[in-house]
Amino acid sequence: MQRKQPIRNTSDIIKLQFYVSKFDVTTTPIIRIVDSYDIRPSSIRCSLCGKEHHDGRIVELRGGSVSNIGHICGKRYGGKGYGDALDAYLSAMNLPQLKARIREGGHKLESFRVQIGALHDSCLELRRYIQSFQSRFPDTFRELQRMAMENRPEVFESVERTDAQIADLMAANPRQNREALKYGRVSIGAISGYRFAATDWDPTHGLMKFFNEVSEFEKFQGSDLGKMRRWANWVDDLEENMQRLGAVVQDGFRFFSSGNFRLFAHLPAPLALRRQLETLTIGDLRMSDSGNTKVKPQSVLPVGIQRARKAKPTATARELRNLTGDKKMRW
């Protein structure tokens, strides 16, 4: 049954085709909700509880008949069939709004084409750096991952204390073991962008997932309510997700710096590798990448971005900074 005219009074309900004034939900379950009604000041007897209600739902039953029930009566007596029917009905009511949000999201995505392309290139570059670094310095990289997950940006080195320093410490607490105080840990600096070491590069749920979702959104065509809700929420969060992604990119380029490499040289690793870290440059990682590290692409640059690039130049560094300038989106 399809409703074409609004229900204004009791007569409109009773005159519905295949209308029944009473039914047993255990033998004739509710299949779907056809419409809602509010006929104040009039009322009509509920087909489930038998009491008069001013408003409620028109429901279709198994077999094709229709009836009327109150809002609360449906939840109380309508069984699982009513709960499923209500979810579907409310989703269908939201369909125009979902379509509008997705259309608006398409326009928003179009305005971000150049920035998304720049972020995509930056992520691919950083992923190559991290694969190259990991292959050359595996012990150091594992330690950096631990530090990132444990929120420890500072690097320390062990230094021998002077007799005067040990004497001061013993005076403060005479019960200490003097031999244990011979060496102390001194901070030599904090790693810039240290959380980048814990970045997840898995294309199904990690950093690159965003770009795959852009492609999926461009291809989406259909009326599946669950998928429409998902994409409507996705486009609502588009700008915020781009800012977060931009913050990761900024951390990544700070992470791969000569100053950080000199700090990495103080982390646990074989001596020969630590000496290499003292003089390592980003150019060394690029050379290593081009010579030894083969990276399989884990995301495809969306077609829309490729088209935009033909018409517009890649985003400048200033444009990228403006995109990620919201400090609240920092790690």
Side-chain angles (χ1 to χ4, degrees):
M1 171 197 168
Q2 297 290 335
R3 283 293 307 151
K4 295 182 179 180
Q5 300 295 329
I7 295 174
R8 298 185 178 88
N9 51 52
T10 304
S11 178
D12 288 341
I13 297 176
I14 295 174
K15 290 179 180 179
L16 291 172
Q17 189 177 20
F18 308 125
Y19 174 77
V20 294
S21 60
K22 191 174 182 179
F23 67 96
D24 183 347
V25 74
T26 60
T27 57
T28 313
I30 296 170
I31 300 300
R32 69 186 181 102
I33 297 172
V34 178
D35 205 349
S36 297
Y37 65 89
D38 188 333
I39 54 174
R40 301 171 194 273
S42 301
S43 62
I44 188 171
R45 188 181 298 275
C46 174
S47 299
L48 286 179
C49 74
K51 297 179 180 179
E52 296 281 327
H53 295 318
H54 296 294
D55 57 3
R57 314 275 191 198
I58 302 298
V59 295
E60 181 177 344
L61 311 174
R62 179 187 292 172
S65 56
V66 298
S67 193
N68 64 285
I69 61 175
H71 294 285
I72 297 176
C73 297
K75 295 178 181 178
R76 285 180 177 174
Y77 314 117
K80 183 179 182 300
Y82 178 80
D84 294 341
L86 181 60
D87 288 342
Y89 176 74
L90 294 176
S91 294
M93 292 288 288
N94 290 331
L95 189 60
Q97 292 92 333
L98 289 175
K99 288 182 177 179
R101 284 165 63 192
I102 290 175
R103 281 195 303 271
E104 182 182 347
H107 298 316
K108 185 188 295 186
L109 181 62
E110 192 65 34
S111 68
F112 287 142
R113 292 289 186 197
V114 175
Q115 292 96 323
I116 292 174
L119 287 172
H120 182 271
D121 287 351
S122 295
C123 286
L124 291 182
E125 182 179 2
L126 288 168
R127 191 180 66 200
R128 287 192 291 267
Y129 289 168
I130 211 164
Q131 289 177 332
S132 175
F133 185 90
Q134 185 177 10
S135 67
R136 291 184 60 178
F137 308 101
D139 295 334
T140 302
F141 185 71
R142 281 192 291 270
E143 179 62 20
L144 287 166
Q145 287 182 309
R146 280 193 290 269
M147 293 175 69
M149 290 185 286
E150 295 171 6
N151 195 28
R152 294 187 292 112
E154 283 196 273
V155 177
F156 296 86
E157 69 174 353
S158 180
V159 296
E160 187 174 1
R161 292 191 175 104
T162 64
D163 290 340
Q165 289 173 326
I166 295 175
D168 289 341
L169 292 171
M170 290 298 298
N173 184 1
R175 296 183 179 182
Q176 295 182 89
N177 184 329
R178 186 180 184 86
E179 188 63 25
L181 298 176
K182 186 175 182 180
Y183 293 94
R185 295 173 73 233
V186 177
S187 173
I188 58 173
I191 297 171
S192 298
Y194 72 100
R195 289 186 185 273
F196 182 76
T199 300
D200 183 0
W201 294 98
D202 190 304
T204 60
H205 61 268
L207 191 67
M208 304 305 288
K209 178 185 176 184
F210 172 81
F211 302 107
N212 295 330
E213 287 177 335
V214 172
S215 294
E216 290 176 23
F217 177 76
E218 288 182 325
K219 299 172 186 175
F220 175 69
Q221 291 181 347
S223 57
D224 181 278
L225 291 171
K227 290 182 179 178
M228 291 187 72
R229 279 196 296 269
R230 176 201 165 196
W231 285 120
N233 291 333
W234 184 84
V235 295
D236 287 347
D237 296 336
L238 176 62
E239 190 166 1
E240 181 177 342
N241 286 334
M242 285 182 61
Q243 289 172 337
R244 287 176 176 168
L245 181 59
V248 176
V249 167
Q250 287 186 333
D251 275 345
F253 285 116
R254 283 199 296 269
F255 182 83
F256 289 109
S257 64
S258 297
N260 269 1
F261 296 154
R262 288 192 288 273
L263 288 176
F264 297 167
H266 293 271
L267 299 177
L271 179 59
L273 293 180
R274 285 191 280 125
R275 286 178 175 170
Q276 289 181 34
L277 283 166
E278 290 175 351
T279 59
L280 184 70
T281 66
I282 195 66
D284 296 330
L285 292 182
R286 290 195 183 103
M287 290 175 62
S288 175
D289 168 56
S290 62
N292 301 315
T293 306
K294 294 183 179 179
V295 180
K296 294 181 179 179
Q298 294 184 352
S299 70
V300 178
L301 193 61
V303 174
I305 295 175
Q306 295 180 31
R307 288 198 304 266
R309 282 187 163 179
K310 294 178 181 179
K312 297 180 181 179
T314 303
T316 64
R318 177 175 293 180
E319 289 171 333
L320 193 55
R321 284 196 299 272
N322 290 339
L323 174 65
T324 60
D326 188 345
K327 298 303 181 184
K328 293 186 290 184
M329 294 301 156
R330 300 291 302 121
W331 279 75

